[in-house]
Amino acid sequence: MWQQARDRIEQLPKGFGPWLKQWRGVLTIAPVVAATTIGGNFLGVFQLLEWATLDSFVLLRPQEAIDSRIVIVTISEEDITRVGQWPASDRVLTRAMSHIAAQNPTAIGLDLYRDLPVEPGHAEWVELMKSTPNLIGIQKVAGNPVAPPPTLKEAGQVAASDLILDADGKVRRGLILIGTESGEFLEGLGAKLALMYLEQSGLELETVDAENNIYRLGRALFVPLRGNEGGYVGKDTGGYQILINFRGGLGHFHHISFTDVLENRIPKDLMRDRLVLIGATAESLKDIFQTPYTNTVLATPELTPGVVIHANFASQIMAAALDGRPMLRAWTKPLNSLWIVLWSFTAAIACWLVLEHHQSHRYLFLRAIVLGWLPTAGVLVTVTYLSFIYGWAIPVFSPLLAATFSAILILNHYNQWQLKVTNEKLETANGKLEDYSHTLEAKVEERTRELKDALENLKSTEAQLIHTEKMSSLGQLVAGVAHEINNPVNFIYANIDHANDYLEDLIDLIELYQKKYPEPDPEILEEIEDLELDFILEDFPNLLVSMKSGAERIGKIVTGLRNFSRLDESEMKPVDLHEGIDSTLLILQSRLQKEAIEIIKEYGNLPKVACYASQVNQVFMNILTNAIDALVETKMKAIAPSENGKHDGEGGTDRRGLKIWITTSVSGSDTVMVKITDNGPGISEAVAKKIFDPFFTTKPVGSGTGLGLSIGYQIIVEKHGGQLSCFSPPGGGAQFIIEIPRSPQTKKPGDRAAIASG
């Protein structure tokens, strides 16, 4: 995808060329990251994380004052014990309600289901309901419906008690209206009580946009959720819903216990001209819910009673209409998408500018993170938090994720770009080196024909070195490769200077012989002794051998690293597995020679295999390194070699000494098999069962991470759809079998390879 975007950019008019070349990474990475994040956002991948972030804003914002317009009558466990039964009898409820009505509240919301009589005292309860026009009962509409009190139903004094739970089980939305099965529309309890209070203040709903159901009430603007906001979809937003802008828990409202009300210990004028809500706070009644306040980290999370949620909703509507307190609204998905694009580009541009202006800084990437990504993330969080304070629920996590990935990929792109520039400079230097080598060759040929063959060999070696350097774009290994190349080059040039000195000395000596010849002269003997002619004649060929050895060393290092790393082959493509095995052995050659380990190759006729070459090479490296460690352990413990001289039935191969067999073949019609076998101590059955588990290792603490074989398993099984098996044949030793399909395929992470122990 990125490559296609880059190709299109390169096709634009030439006037944009330099600018686009410099900013190509930003113009390709930022849109791709944004598009990926937007796709995840539309699929709801980040929904829970966005809600959790907004919940943290609720906890972080300044505490608000107690809403003096609302009083909550709480029914706790102690109140239920005091009453002696639950539901409380109609007579008990009538007595408590009469005490509340005597305080002349604006409206009374009874958040208790009273669809059935609870004797004694039902007749008294009916009379009280008829004589209290500001008493609002409840019914449950959705799920398992619960009918309202019949008397209040006839009088039209009923509201819906339904609370809407998000996917994570929390209440963040409130109901203004909800439709019933009979086709009627009921107001939510908090909304109905708030409208009754505002009606006393002379405020009525005004239609702003009838088609989109947008209304104004005093200073408040009501815009319903349509299923196109944030993480919500249409099926979640039935009825007329809005987001709840919570004021706080029970402590943010005046409250009094049901027992105090029942015994008429109500402070004077506590409820006068206020909204009174009566509801359960006892956990045993299970009318408690998760809200944004359940997220608290510094204290024990507490569930919020339903009556407190209704009070918050009523408080939100009244405070918005009378005081201008912000309602809470969410952006639509198109705006969310633009927001993600904005921050993806912002982070990419900020990091790129830092990288461009601090190229020579020692800790460049750390500086880019501190000066580029960190301020971007800080501004994003600050802007979204301030927007939340003023009533807008703007996504935080998804744009922050897009900004983070854009910054990371820009750092990687810059690194690759710098490596490309470095390679171009190396090629220029190689050209100058080639010109100089031709000049040097001409000068040497002019001085003596005796060194002609040697100088021609040197020219060939230098040409090979130039070719090797041109192949040195090895990504992050370029610095090490350049260091390896530099030393042999300096070594060659130093030897050439010595060769020239020796040649001039020889010419001088020949001239002196011509002058003094044929009679032996002491002066000649003295000159020969001063020049150490014997040493010169003996050392000069050694110098030429050293030049050739250095050049060959350079070629092997570069070729081995190129085949092993394959950093320029990030895509799956057909490769020769034998080349990968050989390059891995080349890297391990010094250790193999040091430990006197013999490598026996039994290569079959393999086709090319479509795979991620560098990752498969990593598997070879991990398995061979473990085999070497096992053989070294065998050597250290002086374990006697096997007498039968065989390994897993491989044709009677001699097992004396430290050996590793590498066998390749074609298995079936579409699978390539690589076997790596050693004659070490073998693997026990208990260890074999856990050998591919992450962090499992048999090495001493500090000697290994235990991730090598686990990573190898993921590469072969999950990324290539192959099999990685471990066997311990009878008689000691261990054998790893790698099976890779010739055509690419993948397996589910849950599939496991066969692991057996002899």
Side-chain angles (χ1 to χ4, degrees):
M1 183 183 296
W2 291 357
Q3 186 60 44
Q4 293 175 357
R6 290 174 179 171
D7 293 341
R8 291 176 183 174
I9 289 174
E10 291 175 351
Q11 295 172 2
L12 292 175
K14 299 298 182 182
F16 292 95
W19 184 84
L20 289 176
K21 184 176 181 181
Q22 181 181 4
W23 291 89
R24 181 173 59 183
V26 173
L27 295 176
T28 54
I29 290 174
V32 171
V33 172
T36 304
T37 308
I38 290 170
N41 202 27
F42 272 88
L43 294 174
V45 175
F46 312 120
Q47 176 177 277
L48 298 180
L49 294 169
E50 292 288 6
W51 287 340
T53 308
L54 292 176
D55 291 347
S56 65
F57 284 174
V58 173
L59 298 174
L60 291 173
R61 71 180 176 186
Q63 293 287 332
E64 298 190 51
I66 292 177
D67 192 338
S68 60
R69 292 176 284 242
I70 296 177
V71 177
I72 300 177
V73 177
T74 61
I75 302 174
S76 64
E77 301 289 354
E78 292 79 4
D79 296 321
I80 295 175
T81 302
R82 167 69 178 80
V83 170
Q85 71 176 69
W86 198 261
S89 68
D90 288 341
R91 179 166 296 161
V92 169
L93 192 59
T94 302
R95 185 171 62 182
M97 196 63 65
S98 62
H99 293 160
I100 294 173
Q103 291 253 327
N104 292 320
T106 299
I108 305 171
L110 181 62
D111 189 25
L112 299 173
Y113 294 121
R114 304 297 292 188
D115 53 325
L116 298 174
V118 183
E119 297 290 356
H122 181 65
E124 301 170 15
W125 171 237
V126 172
E127 287 300 322
L128 184 137
M129 287 190 288
K130 290 180 179 179
S131 62
T132 311
N134 61 346
L135 173 61
I136 305 300
I138 61 169
Q139 77 174 83
K140 190 173 185 302
V141 177
N144 297 319
V146 178
T151 303
L152 296 179
K153 175 68 173 177
E154 293 175 3
Q157 297 171 218
V158 176
S161 64
D162 298 73
L163 294 177
I164 307 169
L165 303 182
D166 284 337
D168 59 351
K170 292 185 180 181
V171 178
R172 297 185 182 89
R173 293 171 285 162
L175 279 172
I176 300 291
L177 285 174
I178 186 173
T180 65
E181 292 183 354
S182 61
E184 300 176 329
F185 285 93
L186 280 182
E187 296 157 318
L189 178 60
K192 188 174 185 66
L193 294 175
L195 292 174
M196 292 176 66
Y197 185 93
L198 295 173
E199 187 177 356
Q200 296 292 327
S201 302
L203 296 180
E204 296 182 355
L205 280 174
E206 301 175 12
T207 302
V208 176
D209 186 343
E211 182 179 354
N212 293 311
N213 295 323
I214 300 176
Y215 302 95
R216 186 179 302 280
L217 182 61
R219 299 169 63 181
L221 185 67
F222 290 84
V223 180
L225 294 171
R226 300 184 182 87
N228 191 34
E229 298 86 1
Y232 297 111
V233 294
K235 65 181 181 180
D236 298 329
T237 55
Y240 196 112
Q241 303 178 21
I242 63 174
L243 294 176
I244 302 178
N245 192 4
F246 283 90
R247 177 179 292 271
L250 181 61
H252 283 74
F253 301 94
H254 294 296
H255 56 279
I256 186 172
S257 70
F258 185 76
T259 299
D260 288 342
V261 171
L262 192 62
E263 297 179 359
N264 203 17
R265 293 197 297 266
I266 308 174
K268 183 179 180 181
D269 296 332
L270 173 65
M271 302 176 180
R272 184 175 300 278
D273 299 327
R274 292 188 171 101
L275 295 182
V276 178
L277 287 93
I278 307 169
T281 60
E283 293 187 7
S284 62
L285 299 183
K286 301 187 183 304
D287 190 22
I288 52 178
F289 302 88
Q290 295 186 64
T291 64
Y293 297 103
T294 311
N295 266 357
T296 180
V297 177
L298 301 179
T300 303
E302 294 184 1
L303 300 178
T304 303
V307 66
V308 177
I309 297 176
H310 290 303
N312 268 278
F313 197 48
S315 173
Q316 171 181 341
I317 296 173
M318 293 188 297
L322 297 174
D323 308 330
R325 181 176 181 263
M327 300 285 282
L328 191 59
R329 293 177 58 187
W331 273 0
T332 60
K333 286 184 171 64
L335 282 177
N336 291 346
S337 299
L338 292 176
W339 186 245
I340 292 170
V341 171
L342 170 64
W343 289 105
S344 179
F345 270 96
T346 300
I349 292 172
C351 289
W352 186 259
L353 290 175
V354 173
L355 292 169
E356 282 286 278
H357 289 84
H358 299 84
Q359 294 184 18
S360 60
H361 197 274
R362 182 178 179 184
Y363 301 104
L364 178 59
F365 292 155
L366 178 61
R367 198 174 186 86
I369 292 173
V370 173
L371 298 181
W373 174 83
L374 195 58
T376 301
V379 171
L380 168 60
V381 174
T382 302
V383 169
T384 51
Y385 175 72
L386 293 177
S387 300
F388 177 79
I389 296 296
Y390 287 96
W392 284 100
I394 301 176
V396 183
F397 182 82
S398 51
L400 183 60
L401 182 67
T404 301
F405 271 95
S406 290
I408 292 172
L409 294 175
I410 281 294
L411 294 180
N412 180 69
H413 170 76
Y414 182 84
N415 185 39
Q416 298 297 326
W417 180 59
Q418 286 296 92
L419 291 176
K420 182 178 180 182
V421 172
T422 302
N423 291 333
E424 291 174 353
K425 293 179 180 179
L426 283 175
E427 289 180 359
T428 302
N430 290 337
K432 295 180 180 179
L433 179 62
E434 187 174 3
D435 293 338
Y436 179 75
S437 68
H438 289 300
T439 303
L440 179 63
E441 177 188 0
K443 289 181 180 180
V444 173
E445 286 180 352
E446 289 176 2
R447 292 174 181 174
T448 178
R449 289 186 177 182
E450 295 181 5
L451 296 178
K452 182 177 179 180
D453 294 337
L455 291 175
E456 287 179 354
N457 291 335
L458 178 61
K459 177 184 175 182
S460 175
T461 302
E462 288 177 343
Q464 183 180 1
L465 174 61
I466 293 169
H467 176 71
T468 303
E469 288 184 354
K470 289 181 179 179
M471 302 299 293
S472 65
S473 56
L474 293 176
Q476 297 178 356
L477 297 178
V478 69
V481 174
H483 177 72
E484 289 286 346
I485 291 175
N486 187 51
N487 288 341
V489 169
N490 291 338
F491 186 70
I492 291 172
Y493 285 131
N495 286 340
I496 292 174
D497 292 337
H498 285 297
N500 289 333
D501 291 341
Y502 295 162
L503 177 60
E504 291 175 1
D505 291 341
L506 288 173
I507 292 174
D508 292 341
L509 183 58
I510 291 172
E511 290 176 352
L512 186 58
Y513 264 108
Q514 289 175 346
K515 180 179 179 182
K516 299 297 183 177
Y517 189 83
E519 296 180 3
D521 190 275
E523 185 177 351
I524 296 176
L525 296 176
E526 182 180 355
E527 184 70 14
I528 292 174
E529 183 177 356
D530 292 341
L531 294 177
E532 297 182 355
L533 181 60
D534 293 339
F535 173 75
I536 293 175
L537 296 177
E538 180 181 356
D539 189 55
F540 188 67
N542 293 336
L543 291 178
L544 296 179
V545 172
S546 297
M547 295 180 205
K548 184 176 180 180
S549 176
E552 291 176 351
R553 173 60 177 164
I554 294 170
K556 289 182 179 180
I557 290 173
V558 174
T559 303
L561 288 177
R562 181 195 62 197
N563 291 336
F564 179 76
S565 63
R566 295 183 181 264
L567 291 176
D568 58 336
E569 300 179 3
S570 58
E571 298 180 355
M572 183 175 286
K573 59 178 63 177
V575 297
D576 187 346
L577 293 184
H578 291 160
E579 290 184 0
I581 297 172
D582 291 341
S583 62
T584 305
L585 292 173
L586 178 61
I587 294 174
L588 297 172
Q589 183 176 7
S590 61
R591 192 174 179 198
L592 292 169
Q593 292 176 348
K594 177 183 176 182
E595 304 297 344
I597 297 175
E598 180 183 358
I599 298 296
I600 301 175
K601 301 179 184 178
E602 299 173 353
Y603 287 174
N605 186 16
L606 295 187
K608 288 191 175 182
V609 178
C611 64
Y612 297 103
S614 61
Q615 298 182 18
V616 174
N617 289 348
Q618 182 182 353
V619 178
F620 294 152
M621 173 67 78
N622 291 341
I623 294 177
L624 287 170
T625 301
N626 285 341
I628 294 172
D629 291 340
L631 292 174
V632 171
E633 180 183 354
T634 303
K635 180 178 179 181
M636 296 300 294
K637 294 182 178 179
I639 298 178
S642 175
E643 296 180 358
N644 57 15
K646 297 181 181 292
H647 68 287
D648 193 30
E650 295 287 342
T653 308
D654 188 3
R655 295 178 61 92
R656 290 173 295 178
L658 304 181
K659 297 182 181 181
I660 296 177
W661 290 265
I662 303 177
T663 305
T664 64
S665 61
V666 176
S667 175
S669 61
D670 197 37
T671 303
V672 171
M673 180 181 297
V674 178
K675 295 182 181 180
I676 300 177
T677 310
D678 63 65
N679 59 351
I683 302 175
S684 66
E685 183 176 358
V687 172
K689 293 179 179 179
K690 300 183 289 184
I691 198 167
F692 296 120
D693 293 344
F695 303 105
F696 175 78
T697 179
T698 58
K699 299 178 181 178
V701 176
S703 299
T705 63
L707 289 173
L709 292 178
S710 175
I711 294 174
Y713 180 86
Q714 294 177 0
I715 291 172
I716 297 300
V717 178
E718 298 176 11
K719 290 192 174 183
H720 293 83
Q723 291 286 337
L724 177 57
S725 310
C726 174
F727 296 89
S728 188
Q735 182 180 82
F736 285 86
I737 300 178
I738 302 169
E739 298 178 76
I740 304 177
R742 292 175 58 185
S743 56
Q745 54 182 292
T746 58
K747 288 190 176 183
K748 298 181 180 178
D751 298 341
R752 301 300 298 174
I755 304 176
S757 173

